[in-house]
Every structure is written in C-alpha cells, then in structure tokens.
Amino acid sequence: MQASGKNAGLGLALVSACAFGGSGVAAKPLIEAGLDPLHMVWLRVAGAALVLSPLAWRHRDLVRRKPLLLAGFGLVAVAGVQAFYFASLSRIPVGVALLLEYLGPALLLGYIRFVQRKPVTRAAAAGAAVAVVGLACVVEIWAGLSLDPLGVLLGLAAACCQACYFIFADQGADGDDVPDPLGVIAYGMIVGTLVMTVIARPWEIDWQVLGGQAAMGGLGGLSVPAGVLLAWVVLIATVFAYLTGVVSVRRLSPQVAGVVACLEAVIATVLAWVLLGEHLSTWQIVGGGLVLGGAFIAQSSRSGGAGGPGGPVELVGVVEPGESGGPGEPGESVELDRVQAQA
C-alpha cells in the first residue's frame, strides 16, 4: 500500500471519528426537548436510509445473494444498537452510554470462547478482564450503583448488539462471494427503518419538537433549531460517518483504523463537556479508559486473527456505530480506544 493511500485513509478515519463523535451531543438535546428516544432512532435511521437509497439500488443484487445477512445486519447492528444506545443516553450521561456500548468487542470474545468454543489469546482474555474492571469503575459499584440501573442495562444491551455486528460482519465476509460493505450499510439502514417503524411508531412523533428549539446545556442555555441538530445526526453523524469510515478501513489495516477511531470517544467526551455541560467523576474517567482500553485490546486480538483486508475488515471498520454508533453511534467521558463499528 502506497504512503499516499495510507495518508488518505488516515485522514478519512479522523474525519469519520469526528463525525461519529458528534452524534450523541446532537441527539440528546432533541430527546430532552421532548422527542422520544425511539423516535430519534427512527428519524436517524430513516433519514440515512433515504440518503443511501441510491447505493441500495446500485447493489440490489445483495437482496438475492445475502438476504439473511442484510436482515440480521439491519435488525441488530442498525436498529438494535441505535435503539438501545439512545434509550440509555436518555437516562445516563452520553459518555457512560458510549462506554458501555464499547464493551461489544469484549462480549464478542466471550461468545467465541464459550459459545463457539474456540480458543482466544491471552491478550484477548486480558483485554476482556480490563474492560470488566473498567465497567465496575464506570458504574461505581462501591457507591451502590449511583448511575441509573436501567440506563446501564440499556447500554449493555447496545454492547450485545454491537458484538452481533461483528458476528454478522464475519459471516458476510466468508467465502469468495464477499458483499460490498457500502451496499450492506445501505440495506442495513433500510431494514433498520422497517424494524424501527414497527417499534417506534413514527406516526406518533411530536413534530412540533422538530420545528422548535433545543437547548445546549453546556453553552449557557443557548438554543439551536431542532431541525439543524437532526440534519447533523442524519447527514454527518450517520451517512457521512459510515461512508468515510468504510473507505478509511479499506485503505488502512483494521488495527490502525481502530486506533484512530479511539478519537471518536475523546471527541465525544470533549463535545459533551463543552456543549452539554456533562461531567464525570475521576473514577468514571479512569473506568472509561479501562473499558475502552480493554475493548481495544480484545478487538485488536480478534481482528488480527480474522484475516487481512479482504476479510471482515470491510464492515468492522465502520460503526458506530455509531455508530455508531455509532453508530452509530453516541459527555463522553474518557477513553483511549474505540472499536469500529457502526451507531
């Protein structure tokens, strides 16, 4: 790989991390303004599906070739991660919700070891252990679980969905018939929209919220048009973040892309502190670093054994997610890592 290609990939990875990192700080003011978390998810996924529909048409053969992959990816890796993540951040700080979601890679290793009964390296096991210790610090167990218990459970559910994302990515990349990740993302958004339509019932959305203003708690009560925040979540923190993330992973190794993606959590932390006025205790900051550090160790180990760029890397380098999660998706306290994946 030429140096120019690596530099371009590095730049795209940085841009993607910045885009993903701004999702939670844009979505939470909308939720606090009266928008239901599930409605927020539906608007994000449906908006992205609409924008990505040309890619879906271009890769329409995937419906015939990989129907189960598209269905599973949309149901779990898109709808599941988004719904649980946004539901959790409506009850706990954005950073804590993101940190919990990033336990996904460690959970994946548990699935590989105890469900698939395949060996994992000592480094992978150590990473999972570090993540668990970090989680204990994040929730401050010694203080009687000072965080909202339901919010924590919802964050862990998002982590489970994120772990499933990697499983689907592995399955989708097996064999010679490797699906184009751009097409999978596009159809994942479409399937996710259909699923979220049933769950979220968008016909009950309070559209007046989107026509009003949303307060940014960390800016002295400054109000921003809700439509602007929604446009940011859809166009920048979802569509743009996913697409740049996919291209960056194609140009970089998964390990390098994963290290760069750590910046998403750092960026989100700074943004939530400045824009939302969210603060975390010292122990939560330390715990957040341990959680994401352990997740990175685990993800690096898993990626290293999964093959080269022609393998599951194509999809694993996105999310968010989200995301995305990114997901993607997504305050944010502390962290030195971030695993790829989609709110």
Side-chain angles (χ1 to χ4, degrees):
M1 184 182 296
Q2 297 180 347
S4 60
K6 290 183 178 180
N7 292 336
L10 179 60
L12 287 171
L14 289 170
V15 169
S16 179
C18 291
F20 273 123
S23 62
V25 294
K28 189 160 187 174
L30 294 175
I31 295 174
E32 293 178 340
L35 194 65
D36 185 273
L38 289 179
H39 290 163
M40 180 67 246
V41 175
W42 185 87
L43 289 169
R44 179 181 188 180
V45 176
L50 181 62
V51 175
L52 293 173
S53 57
L55 283 176
W57 174 255
R58 179 180 179 182
H59 299 286
R60 55 190 179 278
D61 61 310
L62 285 177
V63 177
R64 172 182 54 81
R65 291 165 47 207
K66 303 287 185 179
L68 295 180
L69 171 63
L70 299 182
F73 189 82
L75 176 63
V76 179
V78 174
V81 172
Q82 301 280 351
F84 285 122
Y85 170 73
F86 277 108
S88 67
L89 71 79
S90 69
R91 306 182 69 93
I92 59 179
V94 177
V96 178
L98 184 67
L99 294 172
L100 292 174
E101 181 185 343
Y102 284 164
L103 279 176
L107 295 179
L108 175 61
L109 288 177
Y111 172 84
I112 294 171
R113 177 65 182 88
F114 298 107
V115 177
Q116 294 185 335
R117 296 189 179 280
K118 296 180 180 179
V120 297
T121 65
R122 291 183 178 180
V130 170
V132 171
V133 173
L135 176 59
C137 294
V138 169
V139 300
E140 295 183 337
I141 291 179
W142 56 86
L145 198 65
S146 59
L147 293 176
D148 185 301
L150 180 57
V152 172
L153 289 176
L154 290 169
L156 291 174
C160 291
C161 290
Q162 190 190 68
C164 291
Y165 167 88
F166 290 102
I167 296 173
F168 282 120
D170 277 337
Q171 293 177 345
D174 286 343
D176 298 327
D177 187 20
V178 179
D180 191 302
L182 299 180
V184 174
I185 291 171
Y187 277 103
M189 294 297 174
I190 292 174
V191 173
T193 299
L194 296 176
V195 173
M196 290 307 303
T197 297
V198 176
I199 298 174
R201 293 190 266 187
W203 51 88
E204 297 179 355
I205 291 177
D206 184 0
W207 297 101
Q208 292 182 347
V209 173
L210 298 178
Q213 302 283 317
M216 307 296 288
L219 296 178
L222 175 67
S223 295
V224 178
V228 172
L229 293 177
L230 179 61
W232 179 277
V233 170
V234 172
L235 298 177
I236 305 300
T238 306
V239 175
F240 184 68
Y242 268 89
L243 295 181
T244 53
V246 171
V247 176
S248 71
V249 176
R250 289 191 167 208
R251 293 175 178 267
L252 298 171
S253 69
Q255 292 86 351
V256 174
V259 172
V260 176
C262 309
L263 292 176
E264 174 191 333
V266 177
I267 291 167
T269 301
V270 175
L271 289 176
W273 171 51
V274 174
L275 301 179
L276 301 183
E278 292 190 351
H279 300 278
L280 297 175
S281 70
T282 301
W283 277 112
Q284 287 175 327
I285 292 176
V286 172
L290 290 173
V291 169
L292 289 179
F296 175 68
I297 293 172
Q299 165 65 5
S300 297
S301 174
R302 174 59 179 156
S303 297
V313 180
E314 304 279 315
L315 285 178
V316 169
V318 198
V319 179
E320 141 43 17
E323 349 48 44
S324 161
E329 63 41 88
E332 322 281 313
S333 356
V334 212
E335 34 242 285
L336 295 172
D337 140 40
R338 189 241 121 151
V339 339
Q340 330 197 31
Q342 58 178 310

